[in-house]
Amino acid sequence: MKKYMITCYSPTVEYVDRMQWIGTFESEPDITLAAFFDRIRYPLRRDCGGLGLCGKCQVAIAHGNTLPENLLFEDVCACQKVIDSDLVVVLPPPVVQNETPKKSRLGKQPVKRGSGRFVVAVDLGTTTIVLALVDLVSHDILVTVRKRNPQAAIGNDVISRIQYASRGPEYLLRAQTFAIQAISELIEEACYHVGGKPENVEKIVVAGNTVMSYLFYGINPEAIGKWPFVPPQKEFPARPAVSLGIKATPKAIVSLLPAVTGFVGGDIISGLLAIAPKRSATELLASRSSLLFIDIGTNGEMVLLQGGRLLVAATAAGPAFEGAQIRCGMIGQRGAIDGVDYSPVPYWAGDKKAATGPLSIVGNVPPVGICGSGLVDAIAEMYRNGLVSSRGRLAGQSDRLPALEMFEDRMAFPLSKEHKIWITQRDIRQIQLAVAAIQAGTRLLMEHCGIDLSRLNRIRLAGAFGSALRRENARQIGLLPLNFPIDGIRYCGNTSLAGAIAAALDPRLFIDAAVLANKAENVDLATLPHFQDVFVDAMNFPPIQNK
């Protein structure tokens, strides 16, 4: 079989106009460039699951094998371009990650910390994997590390990954391997930071949504993607770490928190453990006050606790809040715009971490994109100042904000022209869809339980971007109820990870987790007769409130 040569270059981090050679590789013909990069373990983002819609896997290619400066390049989506000749490929500029540095860049071995006996807790998110290394004796959290879930190479949402893994055993194995390798690398990284070794890890507890749990254990998720979307397995027996290929002590056990439905998984059960009084399921269920718990992520799961009932629901919020399917979107890592405030004195004035001017940037470095909290801020500011209508249409002008301009043949908002960061009409629509899904879900869940906002006592938020979320802006675009007291809304951090840490240190909490999972009543929002009407109504932004 004829082989083609693929020569790869990438701009440097410091100078995007300078090319650095990555390598030259052989490829068989008639496969896509995305598949080729997967095989050499250089996965590209494919937020649309490889359908050629999101543009996040765009690369520049030229036919031939000479130096880049001698060639004429064209931009293509790697998931659509089939290899039919020798190619020179220029990959997207590298993004400086806000992750713990790799071992090779750390220098000398750190001073040993802790007792040398560790447990590991993992939040296995659709977009991001977060791992905490905890001392088994002192119960101290020694280090927390994270990385983007490499399964994004096979699809950015759970539906795409279900479809991929259901193609056959080799696809399922590949999806599982992505997760296991990522967790193994994070364990090694975390242990290195405290002067330990993976062999010091005695227990691993993983909290993830149902699809992520299935893929991690190598269980075919096909049934979850079909009506009635009921997972055939909701509890996951503990398994030896060695059987999954994870480095730890020979007797180390991996445990997964139980799922509730196909789209409400162990991460929500873990979150309930984290916010429960004294982490007791009995006390949580016996509480007389009503509680709405929302995990704002790719799936948009929500829980309503009222009068001893525990109702759960999930909406297809999509990954827009985590930067996916957004023209200049990214997760909340170094270089991400995580706040936008055009008032004379921005709310972060004096904060050493934030950049000057209307933009807050993670790491106080030049911006490279915008994450979910920044998008919420930006759209709320544009709406208040007349650049976005209540229906989400870009129009109008403002004395305080930059004027709309043409970008890629369409009107857009120049958030940072210098760094080529724009907010497009399509971006606003993606946020509207995500907001409408969350808002419709919360409204219908309360209606199903027979209560309204006046009887709701507390709203608790979890999710990847919640720590930087401004509640007044979230209410202004309808993500949170406009008429609910702002003091009753509180962000609880990464509750999925917090619950997993608690369960890793106290095995009795697995009993509580089972009680909560069995008590939960699933509300299938899509089957409610007026779901579509509520969803369409929620697409409109609520009346403008003063800041």
Side-chain angles (χ1 to χ4, degrees):
M1 179 185 294
K2 181 176 176 58
K3 299 284 187 179
Y4 292 118
M5 305 304 295
I6 311 297
T7 304
C8 303
Y9 290 85
S10 174
T12 63
V13 174
E14 294 83 5
Y15 304 100
V16 296
D17 58 341
R18 298 182 186 177
M19 293 295 113
Q20 59 182 1
W21 178 72
I22 295 176
T24 300
F25 311 89
E26 278 191 347
S27 172
E28 60 268 37
D30 301 325
I31 65 170
T32 65
L33 264 177
F36 161 74
F37 283 116
D38 288 346
R39 293 183 183 186
I40 65 170
R41 300 184 69 178
Y42 194 107
L44 297 171
R45 285 184 64 178
R46 265 160 283 171
D47 296 355
C48 62
L51 299 178
L53 300 176
C54 68
K56 292 294 175 68
C57 66
Q58 189 176 86
V59 297
I61 67 164
H63 296 274
N65 54 16
T66 60
L67 295 175
E69 54 265 30
N70 300 323
L71 297 172
L72 183 63
F73 284 86
E74 62 172 323
D75 292 331
V76 300
C77 286
C79 66
Q80 301 298 304
K81 172 60 182 176
V82 175
I83 297 173
D84 56 5
S85 68
D86 292 340
L87 293 175
V88 176
V89 181
V90 177
L91 295 161
V95 175
V96 180
Q97 302 289 321
N98 186 30
E99 297 176 356
T100 306
K102 297 294 183 184
K103 176 178 175 180
S104 60
R105 291 178 280 155
L106 285 172
K108 64 181 182 180
Q109 180 80 10
V111 176
K112 287 190 176 183
R113 295 169 55 200
S115 66
R117 299 182 63 195
F118 306 137
V119 296
V120 160
V122 181
D123 170 28
L124 182 55
T126 307
T127 301
T128 307
I129 302 174
V130 187
L131 180 146
L133 186 71
V134 185
D135 190 278
L136 185 56
V137 177
S138 68
H139 293 189
D140 291 335
I141 300 173
L142 301 176
V143 66
T144 302
V145 291
R146 69 185 65 225
K147 71 183 303 178
R148 187 177 181 85
N149 189 331
Q151 289 174 341
I154 60 174
N156 206 67
D157 55 60
V158 293
I159 299 299
S160 300
R161 295 182 197 178
I162 289 172
Q163 294 170 344
Y164 182 90
S166 300
R167 294 180 190 174
E170 66 274 23
Y171 294 93
L172 175 59
L173 177 61
R174 188 156 175 270
Q176 180 188 25
T177 301
F178 271 136
I180 289 174
Q181 287 181 342
I183 291 174
S184 296
E185 290 171 2
L186 288 174
I187 290 175
E188 184 177 9
E189 204 170 306
C191 289
Y192 184 83
H193 270 272
V194 299
K197 298 179 180 179
E199 290 74 17
N200 300 129
V201 174
E202 300 183 19
K203 184 190 300 183
I204 301 168
V205 173
V206 178
N209 66 49
T210 311
V211 175
M212 293 299 99
S213 297
Y214 268 52
L215 296 180
F216 175 62
Y217 258 21
I219 304 170
N220 190 335
E222 185 175 10
I224 303 176
K226 296 179 179 180
W227 178 261
F229 312 112
V230 176
Q233 182 175 339
K234 298 180 182 180
E235 296 184 354
F236 308 94
R239 294 178 56 177
V242 66
S243 70
L244 292 168
I246 297 176
K247 288 183 179 180
T249 61
K251 295 182 180 180
I253 295 297
V254 176
S255 300
L256 279 170
L257 286 156
V260 180
T261 71
F263 297 103
V264 178
D267 52 347
I268 297 303
I269 296 298
S270 185
L272 290 175
L273 291 177
I275 65 173
K278 300 180 182 178
R279 297 199 170 91
S280 165
T282 302
E283 291 185 34
L284 180 66
L285 294 171
S287 173
R288 293 183 178 181
S289 62
S290 56
L291 166 70
L292 180 63
F293 174 59
I294 310 173
D295 188 342
I296 304 176
T298 305
N299 296 329
E301 299 105 336
M302 54 207 68
V303 177
L304 179 61
L305 182 68
Q306 166 68 22
R309 297 181 68 188
L310 191 65
L311 281 74
V312 301
T315 60
F321 290 130
E322 293 172 328
Q325 299 179 1
I326 301 298
R327 179 62 177 80
C328 298
M330 62 186 293
I331 60 175
Q333 63 189 15
R334 185 177 174 86
I337 297 171
D338 67 346
V340 179
D341 186 355
Y342 283 95
S343 60
V345 181
Y347 71 91
W348 50 76
D351 182 352
K352 290 188 292 185
K353 97 168 181 58
T356 58
L359 307 181
S360 168
I361 304 162
V362 177
N364 195 20
V365 296
V368 294
I370 183 167
C371 65
S373 59
L375 282 163
V376 171
D377 277 358
I379 294 173
E381 287 274 22
M382 293 161 67
Y383 177 44
R384 286 194 191 97
N385 288 278
L387 293 184
V388 172
S389 71
S390 62
R391 294 180 177 271
R393 182 176 180 181
L394 273 171
Q397 57 185 2
S398 168
D399 295 333
R400 289 175 52 190
L401 274 63
L404 301 178
E405 296 186 24
M406 294 300 293
F407 172 70
E408 296 181 346
D409 299 325
R410 301 200 177 192
M411 199 65 73
F413 178 72
L415 195 61
S416 176
K417 289 177 65 174
E418 177 186 359
H419 301 97
K420 300 179 181 179
I421 301 173
W422 298 74
I423 295 179
T424 68
Q425 181 67 74
R426 184 177 182 276
D427 295 340
I428 295 173
R429 290 286 182 248
Q430 291 297 318
I431 293 297
Q432 281 183 283
L433 289 168
V435 165
I438 298 291
Q439 185 187 142
T442 56
R443 285 164 58 179
L444 290 170
L445 197 61
M446 288 191 294
E447 180 183 301
H448 188 83
C449 196
I451 68 169
D452 56 25
L453 283 177
S454 65
R455 293 179 57 193
L456 188 63
N457 299 115
R458 298 168 292 160
I459 295 178
R460 297 294 180 259
L461 303 176
F465 78 110
S467 60
L469 187 67
R470 296 176 69 195
R471 293 170 294 179
E472 61 269 30
N473 284 340
R475 294 197 310 173
Q476 184 60 84
I477 67 170
L479 179 59
L480 297 174
L482 186 66
N483 298 322
F484 191 80
I486 201 165
D487 292 341
I489 303 170
R490 190 166 68 194
Y491 176 68
C492 299
N494 189 335
T495 56
S496 176
L497 184 66
I501 291 171
L505 295 172
D506 185 357
R508 293 172 298 180
L509 288 180
F510 277 91
I511 299 174
D512 277 12
V515 169
L516 292 170
N518 291 327
K519 179 70 174 178
E521 306 171 42
N522 181 49
V523 179
D524 190 346
L525 300 173
T527 63
L528 299 180
H530 53 304
F531 170 77
Q532 194 64 32
D533 292 336
V534 175
F535 180 84
V536 171
D537 180 64
M539 286 282 291
N540 296 322
F541 295 138
I544 294 175
Q545 303 291 303
N546 294 326
K547 291 184 67 174

